[in-house]
């Protein structure tokens, strides 16, 4: 216990401790001297820029001079250049995109810049050589705001911060001892209550992690702490140091009642609070402070440390002579080597908090490993949520660890494992060295039937990377046509999009594709495309009937559909008021009907000739007398004579409707009592007439044969009453003849 509390330092009613998180693995010859360093909060990554961008360890920095570094909420690195260009890189040093802070910035150069986070996202604020401020509240939805001028300001202000108040982003700046707040429309002078009259200038300022509190450091060495709206004063401390500090950040736990600020000079770190006393730490190397939700990270060339107010739970456990339950449990642990032993002695103790805390600690320990390098405290972990932690692991491409944590915490699949796998797949499709086939196979195997994954999003990422064929292969795994079609249209694969839309059965989706094709294609190609897709053509005709009559006429002309053209002219004649125009339209209708009649007759004659040639060939080959029979009679004769291959050919060549052919074959097999062949036929493929007709035919044929054999008029009449209009004509004739014979007797 004494060892644990050895590095605790009292300040007012609280204690502060500085603990080492990691030994730094980077090799910097001069440490962090002459370097720009930026670290993301919540144990986030560190960016460093000197003569080369060493955080990337990939290439020398060849762009313009960098004024500031910062991290987005998605762990992308922002490099703000002197000319106002902002370059964005991912965690692995790959360039993503860039944007400019405006032409005025290019002319006057950036003097200072800051990266900040707000409810709207990641923002950038700069001040130019013309002493003008420009803001971008959200870099993902870039809208630049140029703030009003500050009276009397020459060059950069002595210090400034960005505030988020009342859902609005503002700038608080100091020009000497004068303070101003800049918003969209005004520059307002403000005065902090109770500021020491000895101050002639405000040389540094810091806003708390939540933008709720503000700290001001004056040239007299006084530290003023109060609310960010400058209405309330918390305290003022004389630090006895008048040199302007290099950095100043808040060090306040969320539920702590004590304000505290960490001030850093070259070799001195000072913690000041409400009391007159301070805590001082000596620094043996160049360091950078990073504000956190519940403390301050101190990053040096060789060490990475955390300075924080000792949590009240730790104080209760480790304070000398403490009788708190946690302290007693610690004593029990020393005796029995079991951390969960003490809870057995507590009556009505719910196990859920203990189990939840054990899970949290296991997760925190796994991400604190130096191979991962996310030194989160429990407070930060709870504030940022599991989902955000998973995102941060995904940005680092630590997919196995992210999946294990999701499964361990039993996160819902669509929020956990599926989300990680989707990110993995989006990264996988960008690997240009692998062929399309292997990537598509790997993605389909890995993702399988994972819930909540949209293959269209992964395909879209592949298309953005220039891999169109891979995108099409991935879309084959997307079960929702509504997700496939828009991307196919974007990729200019309109024919495939139309086929997918038709397969979906969604008429609205088909209309969407047809409308797109109409706007993208010339008229002739558009009509030819529709001719190859009967469903789309039918739907488009329905649309034209109500919206585009002239287009409907062109469609009929394109297809030489004289019957429909005749109907079109008849309908059009009713809309004409002039007799001559009406008669002209009716005459056109007559002409089209005549053409349709002639075409039908010619087609019928051709079909008869074709059937006659077929019958003659069979007569020669099989010796069957088929000449003069109709198409249906020919089929029946072939089926009852066991010429099934010839019947199949006739069925295909003359495009006999499926239902009619099935009925003919079914009744032919029944007439021959070929029940075994009938069973094979029933099981050969899906029946277009259903299963019930098989039963009816079997019953009808069996009953018919029995009634005819017994020559019972009553039974024959009963069988006839059960027959349907589709019953075989030959069977009906036999039954009627048998009934007549029985009646005569």
């Amino acid at each position: 216990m004494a060892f644990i509390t050895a590095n605790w330092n009292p300040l007012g009613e609280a204690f502060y401790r500085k603990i080492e998180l990691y030994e730094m693995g980077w090799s910097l010859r001069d440490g962090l001297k002459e370097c720009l360093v930026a670290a993301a909060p919540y144990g986030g990554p560190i960016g460093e820029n000197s003569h080369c961008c060493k955080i990337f360890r990939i290439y020398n920095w060849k762009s313009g001079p960098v004024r500031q570094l910062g991290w987005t909420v998605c762990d992308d690195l922002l490099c703000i250049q002197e000319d106002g260009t902002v370059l964005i890189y991912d965690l692995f040093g790959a360039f993503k995109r860039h944007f400019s802070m405006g032409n005025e910035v290019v002319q006057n150069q950036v003097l200072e810049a800051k990266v900040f986070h707000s409810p709207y996202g990641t923002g950038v604020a700069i001040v130019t050589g013309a002493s003008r401020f420009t803001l971008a509240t959200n870099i993902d939805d870039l809208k630049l705001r140029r703030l009003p001028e500050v009276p009397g300001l020459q060059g950069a202000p002595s210090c400034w911060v960005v505030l988020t108040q009342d859902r609005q982003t503002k700038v608080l700046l100091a020009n000497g001892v004068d303070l101003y707040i800049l918003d969209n429309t005004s520059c307002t002078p403000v005065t902090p209550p109770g500021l020491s009259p000895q101050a002639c200038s405000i040389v540094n300022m810091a806003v708390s992690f939540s933008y709720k509190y503000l700290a001001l450091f004056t040239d007299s060495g006084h530290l003023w702490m109060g609310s960010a709206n400058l209405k309330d004063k918390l305290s003022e401390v004389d630090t006895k140091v008048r040199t302007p500090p290099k950095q100043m950040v808040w060090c306040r736990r969320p539920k702590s009642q004590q304000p505290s600020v960490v001030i850093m000079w070259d070799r001195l770190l000072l913690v000041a609070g409400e009391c007159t006393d301070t805590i001082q730490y000596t620094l043996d190397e160049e360091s950078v402070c990073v504000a956190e939700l519940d403390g301050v990270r101190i990053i040096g060339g060789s060490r990475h440390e955390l300075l924080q107010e000792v949590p009240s739970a730790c104080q209760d456990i480790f304070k000398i002579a403490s009788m708190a339950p946690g302290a007693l449990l610690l004593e029990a642990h020393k005796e029995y080597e079991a951390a969960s032993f003490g809870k057995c002695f507590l009556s009505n103790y719910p196990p859920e908090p203990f189990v939840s805390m054990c899970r949290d600690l296991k997760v925190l320990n796994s991400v604190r490993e130096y191979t991962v390098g996310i030194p989160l405290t429990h407070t930060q972990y709870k504030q940022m949520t599991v989902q955000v932690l998973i995102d941060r692991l995904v940005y680092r491409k630590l997919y196995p660890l992210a999946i294990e944590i999701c499964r361990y915490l039993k996160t819902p699949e669509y929020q956990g494992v599926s989300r990680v796998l989707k990110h993995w797949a989006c990264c996988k499709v960008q690997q240009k060295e692998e062929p399309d086939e292997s990537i598509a196979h790997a993605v389909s195997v890995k993702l399988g039937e994972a819930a909540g994954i949209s293959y269209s999003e992964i395909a879209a990422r592949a298309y953005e990377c220039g891999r169109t064929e891979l995108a099409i292969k991935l879309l084959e795994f997307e079960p929702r046509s509504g997700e496939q079609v828009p991307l196919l249209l974007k990729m200019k694969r309109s024919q495939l999009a139309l086929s997918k839309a038709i397969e979906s059965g969604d008429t609205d989706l088909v209309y969407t594709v047809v409308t797109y094709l109409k706007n993208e294609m010339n008229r002739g190609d558009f009509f030819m495309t529709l001719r190859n897709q009967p469903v789309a053509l039918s739907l488009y005709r329905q649309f034209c009937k109500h919206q585009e009559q002239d287009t409907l006429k062109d469609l009929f002309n394109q297809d030489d559909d004289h019957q429909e053209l005749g109907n079109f002219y008849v309908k059009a004649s009713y809309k004409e008021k002039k007799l001559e125009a009406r008669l002209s339209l009716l005459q056109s209708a007559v002409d089209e009907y005549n053409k349709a009649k002639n075409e039908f007759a010619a087609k019928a004659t051709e079909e008869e000739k074709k059937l006659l040639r077929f019958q003659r060939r069979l007569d020669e080959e099989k010796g069957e007398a088929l000449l003069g029979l109709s198409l249906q009679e020919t089929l029946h004769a072939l089926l009852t004579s066991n010429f099934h291959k010839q019947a199949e050919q006739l069925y295909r060549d003359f495009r006999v409707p499926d239902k009619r052919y099935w009925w003919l074959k079914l009744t032919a097999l029944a007439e021959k009592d070929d029940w075994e062949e009938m069973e094979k036929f029933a099981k050969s493929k899906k029946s277009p007439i259903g299963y019930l007709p098989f039963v009816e035919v079997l019953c009808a044929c069996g009953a018919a044969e029995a009634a005819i054999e017994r020559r019972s008029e009553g039974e024959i009449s009963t069988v006839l009453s059960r027959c349907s209009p589709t019953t075989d004509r030959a069977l009906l004739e036999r039954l009627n003849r048998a009934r007549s014979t029985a009646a005569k007797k």
Side-chain angles (χ1 to χ4, degrees):
M1 186 181 298
F3 176 76
I4 292 176
T5 60
N7 66 342
W8 289 14
N9 294 286
L11 184 67
E13 297 181 357
F15 292 89
Y16 287 79
R17 65 183 179 185
K18 185 158 68 81
I19 56 177
E20 184 172 310
L21 299 174
Y22 304 106
E23 288 186 8
M24 301 304 287
W26 53 19
S27 56
L28 300 175
R29 185 176 57 186
D30 298 323
L32 296 180
K33 190 175 182 180
E34 304 298 329
C35 292
L36 279 177
V37 180
Y42 294 99
I46 304 168
E48 174 270 331
N49 180 290
S50 53
H51 297 292
C52 62
C53 207
K54 297 191 181 211
I55 185 66
F56 297 154
R57 301 181 183 276
I58 295 176
Y59 55 84
N60 288 332
W61 186 262
K62 296 180 181 179
S63 194
V66 177
R67 286 295 187 192
Q68 186 60 275
L69 301 176
W71 293 92
T72 71
V73 293
C74 298
D75 284 351
D76 288 333
L77 182 66
L78 301 182
C79 301
I80 305 170
Q81 296 189 154
E82 191 177 60
D83 63 356
T85 302
V86 182
L87 308 177
I88 305 179
Y89 297 83
D90 68 13
L91 268 171
F92 301 92
F95 175 75
K96 297 182 72 172
R97 62 186 178 92
H98 76 280
F99 63 89
S100 173
M101 293 297 289
N103 292 328
E104 187 268 339
V105 181
V106 176
Q107 297 172 3
N108 295 297
Q109 303 290 289
V110 176
L111 294 183
E112 292 181 9
K114 294 185 188 295
V115 177
F116 61 93
H117 299 147
S118 72
Y120 307 103
T122 302
V124 173
I126 62 167
V127 58
T128 68
S131 304
R132 296 297 297 271
F133 286 86
T134 300
L135 280 181
T137 308
N138 183 1
I139 63 171
D140 294 322
D141 183 18
L142 193 64
K143 294 176 183 176
L144 298 177
R145 290 191 290 133
R146 196 177 182 209
L147 302 184
E149 292 187 51
V150 180
L153 181 62
Q154 298 293 326
S158 55
C159 55
W160 59 285
V161 293
V162 179
L163 300 175
T164 299
Q165 296 177 344
D166 303 325
R167 300 181 65 82
Q168 187 178 11
T169 304
K170 305 175 184 180
V171 169
L172 175 68
L173 64 98
N175 186 20
V177 77
D178 298 323
L179 280 177
Y180 299 92
I181 287 184
L182 292 178
D183 58 21
N184 292 345
T185 59
S186 63
C187 174
T188 307
V190 290
T191 302
L195 184 65
S196 172
Q198 302 176 31
C200 296
S201 177
I202 298 172
V203 296
N204 207 325
M205 62 175 66
V207 66
S208 68
F209 200 81
S210 61
Y211 295 103
K212 189 175 181 181
Y213 301 102
L214 177 71
L216 305 174
F217 191 88
T218 67
D219 57 351
S220 63
H222 287 82
L223 174 68
W224 181 95
M225 289 175 278
S227 60
N229 58 16
L230 296 171
K231 293 181 180 179
D232 302 305
K233 176 183 176 181
L234 296 175
S235 68
E236 189 170 30
V237 177
D238 184 2
T239 64
K240 311 297 183 183
V241 182
R242 296 197 173 192
T243 306
K246 291 178 60 177
Q247 255 190 298
M248 191 166 71
V249 293
W250 280 81
C251 181
R252 181 190 180 102
R253 288 195 299 109
K255 295 183 180 180
S256 173
Q257 299 301 315
Q258 173 172 291
S260 59
V261 174
V262 175
I263 311 169
M264 187 180 71
W265 288 271
D266 285 335
R267 289 292 185 266
L268 175 64
L269 199 70
L270 185 144
V271 184
E274 286 184 314
C275 62
T276 57
D277 294 330
T278 60
I279 302 173
Q280 296 186 11
Y281 295 97
T282 301
L283 300 175
D284 54 6
E285 60 181 349
E286 291 285 336
S287 301
V288 175
C289 291
V290 182
E292 291 284 3
L293 175 69
D294 57 347
V296 176
R297 279 196 290 157
I298 304 166
I299 301 168
S302 62
R303 286 193 304 278
H304 189 170
E305 299 173 299
L306 176 66
L307 171 63
Q308 65 173 172
E309 179 185 336
V310 178
S312 56
C314 289
Q315 293 187 41
D316 289 342
I317 294 173
F318 297 110
K319 260 194 320 188
I320 296 174
S322 173
M323 296 300 292
L328 298 178
L329 181 59
L330 180 62
E331 291 298 321
H333 164 66
K334 290 180 178 179
E335 297 295 331
Y336 293 96
E337 298 295 331
S340 62
F341 177 79
K343 75 178 190 305
C344 301
F345 296 93
L346 301 176
S347 59
N348 301 321
Y349 177 79
E352 290 80 13
F354 178 81
V355 173
S356 177
M357 180 58 72
C358 288
R359 286 177 176 169
D360 290 347
L361 291 176
K362 189 169 183 179
V363 170
L364 289 175
N365 286 332
S366 66
V367 299
R368 286 173 185 165
E369 284 287 331
Y370 75 96
T371 54
V372 179
I374 303 180
L376 283 177
T377 65
H378 187 263
T379 303
Q380 294 168 13
Y381 170 66
K382 285 302 183 183
Q383 176 72 16
M384 74 186 297
T385 71
V386 174
Q387 284 74 24
V388 176
L389 175 59
I390 296 303
D391 284 341
R392 296 183 73 171
L393 293 173
V394 164
Y395 297 148
R396 290 161 170 77
K397 299 184 181 179
L398 299 173
Y399 304 112
L401 177 59
I403 290 174
E404 284 302 313
I405 290 176
C406 290
R407 288 173 175 163
Y408 178 67
L409 297 178
K410 299 180 180 179
T411 306
E413 192 170 358
Y414 70 95
Q415 292 180 336
V417 174
S418 293
R419 192 159 58 94
V420 176
L421 288 174
K422 187 188 78 172
H423 280 281
W424 168 84
C426 289
C427 180
K428 182 74 173 176
V429 299
Q430 299 178 57
Q431 297 177 358
K432 297 182 179 180
E433 65 278 3
E434 288 195 45
D436 295 344
E437 288 288 347
S438 63
I439 290 180
H441 177 72
V443 170
S444 66
V445 169
K446 181 75 74 174
L447 270 58
E449 300 295 327
I453 289 183
S454 172
Y455 281 94
S456 61
E457 292 182 29
I458 303 169
R461 183 64 61 86
Y463 176 66
E464 290 169 5
C465 297
R467 306 189 68 166
T468 304
E469 294 304 319
L470 174 59
I472 293 174
K473 292 179 185 297
L474 291 170
L475 280 178
E476 292 298 324
F477 303 119
E478 175 58 62
R480 297 167 296 179
S481 299
E483 297 291 327
Q484 293 177 311
V485 169
L487 182 57
L488 288 170
L489 292 177
K490 185 178 179 180
M491 295 190 296
K492 306 297 183 183
R493 299 302 177 98
S494 51
Q495 298 280 4
L496 185 56
L498 183 58
S499 298
K500 294 294 183 182
I502 292 171
E503 288 176 13
S504 72
D506 186 341
T507 55
D508 290 338
L509 196 58
V510 177
Y511 275 127
T512 299
V513 180
V514 169
T515 303
Y516 174 86
L517 293 175
K518 181 184 175 185
N519 295 331
E520 292 293 317
M521 293 181 169
N522 61 55
R523 201 176 184 84
D525 292 341
F526 174 61
F527 286 163
M528 286 301 295
T529 300
L530 291 185
R531 286 185 68 180
N532 296 327
Q533 297 287 356
V535 174
L537 178 60
S538 175
L539 289 172
Y540 187 62
R541 281 180 174 176
Q542 292 296 324
F543 168 77
C544 291
K545 282 181 181 179
H546 301 286
Q547 303 291 336
E548 299 178 3
Q549 290 290 324
D550 291 338
T551 304
L552 185 64
K553 178 184 173 183
D554 293 340
L555 279 172
F556 293 147
N557 272 320
Q558 181 84 6
D559 294 339
D560 292 329
D561 194 338
H562 301 293
Q563 181 71 29
E564 290 295 340
L565 276 171
N567 297 340
F568 175 84
Y569 286 127
V570 170
K571 292 177 182 177
S573 69
Y574 284 104
K575 300 177 182 178
E576 288 291 343
K577 295 182 179 179
K578 294 182 179 180
L579 181 61
E580 293 181 0
R582 183 177 295 179
L583 289 174
S584 176
L585 288 170
L586 289 173
Q587 183 58 51
S588 297
V590 170
D591 294 341
E592 295 299 333
Y593 285 139
N594 286 332
K595 292 178 183 177
K597 182 179 180 181
N598 293 336
E599 281 190 356
F600 178 78
K603 185 176 180 181
T605 303
E606 186 61 34
E607 288 291 319
E608 288 175 0
K609 291 179 181 178
K610 185 178 177 182
L611 178 61
L612 185 61
R613 289 195 296 270
F614 190 88
Q615 290 172 337
R616 283 175 178 168
R617 180 167 59 82
L618 284 177
D619 282 352
E620 293 172 0
E621 293 178 2
K622 307 296 181 183
E624 286 287 316
L626 301 175
L627 292 176
L629 297 180
S630 67
L631 177 62
Q632 183 168 324
E633 290 170 337
T634 303
L635 271 173
H636 184 268
L638 291 172
L639 290 168
T640 53
S641 302
N642 289 330
F643 295 152
H644 296 291
K645 289 185 179 179
Q646 290 77 6
E648 287 280 347
Q649 182 182 349
L650 188 65
Y651 152 64
R652 288 192 300 269
D653 290 349
F654 286 83
R655 297 179 182 177
V656 178
D658 290 343
K659 288 186 178 181
R660 184 185 301 175
Y661 178 71
W662 273 67
W663 269 111
L664 285 170
K665 188 165 184 177
L666 180 61
T667 52
L669 293 171
E671 283 182 28
K672 298 190 301 174
D673 296 336
D674 194 345
W675 313 120
E676 183 178 349
E677 188 65 32
M678 186 183 295
E679 183 180 7
K680 292 179 182 178
F681 179 53
K683 295 178 179 178
S684 61
K685 49 187 173 180
K686 188 174 180 180
S687 168
I689 58 176
Y691 180 71
L692 186 60
F694 283 89
V695 179
E696 291 179 352
V697 167
L698 288 170
C699 294
C701 291
E705 294 299 334
I708 292 172
E709 185 177 349
R710 286 194 288 269
R711 300 178 183 180
S712 169
E713 182 182 2
E715 291 181 7
I716 294 173
S717 298
T718 302
V719 172
L720 282 170
S721 67
R722 296 290 304 276
C723 292
S724 65
T726 58
T727 302
D728 182 58
R729 188 188 307 169
L731 178 61
L732 289 173
E733 291 177 357
R734 288 182 61 205
L735 286 167
N736 284 319
R737 285 197 301 270
R739 184 171 62 176
S740 299
T741 303
K744 291 177 182 179
K745 293 182 179 180

